[in-house]
Amino acid sequence: MCRLTCLALAVVAVMGVAGCGTPERLNARQQRNVDRSPPQVFAMPDHYNNVASKCDGHGHRMYVTSNKDQAPSNLVVVSDESCSR
C-alpha cells in the first residue's frame, strides 16, 4: 500500500515539474528584443523601499519600488518624451 501511494505521489510530482516547461513559458525566455540595460536606482533611507526608473522605449518611464517583507512592490508608468526612440 505504501509503495503504491509513494509511486502515485512521485508521478504527480513529475507531472507538476513537467508542466512548468509549457511552450508558452519556453518561448517567453527566448525573446531577443528584451532591454536588459540597468535602470536608474534611487536609494532611499532605511526602512523605505528603493525606487528604480527605466524607459520602455515607447515614450513612457516606469518607476518601480523594491519589494521588502512588509511592503509590496509598486509600479507607476508616466509619459516621458525623453523615452521615445
Side-chain angles (χ1 to χ4, degrees), residues 48-52 63-68 71-76:
Y48 290 94
N49 288 346
N50 293 334
V51 177
Y63 294 94
V64 64
T65 59
S66 61
N67 192 359
K68 294 193 175 195
S73 294
N74 294 301
L75 174 67
V76 176

Side-chain angles (χ1 to χ4, degrees), residues 12-26:
V12 170
V14 168
M15 290 176 64
V17 171
C20 294
T22 60
E24 294 83 14
R25 291 184 63 134
L26 294 174

Side-chain angles (χ1 to χ4, degrees), residues 10 16 29 37 40 43-44 51-52 54 57:
R29 294 182 188 158
S37 63
Q40 183 179 10
M44 303 302 282
V51 177
K54 191 170 184 177

Side-chain angles (χ1 to χ4, degrees), residues 18-62:
C20 294
T22 60
E24 294 83 14
R25 291 184 63 134
L26 294 174
N27 290 335
R29 294 182 188 158
Q30 295 175 359
Q31 289 186 358
R32 294 188 178 122
N33 59 348
V34 176
D35 179 5
R36 301 222 185 266
S37 63
Q40 183 179 10
V41 177
F42 303 95
M44 303 302 282
D46 290 340
H47 307 292
Y48 290 94
N49 288 346
N50 293 334
V51 177
S53 168
K54 191 170 184 177
C55 290
D56 70 353
H58 302 282
H60 305 99
R61 181 169 294 277
M62 301 173 291

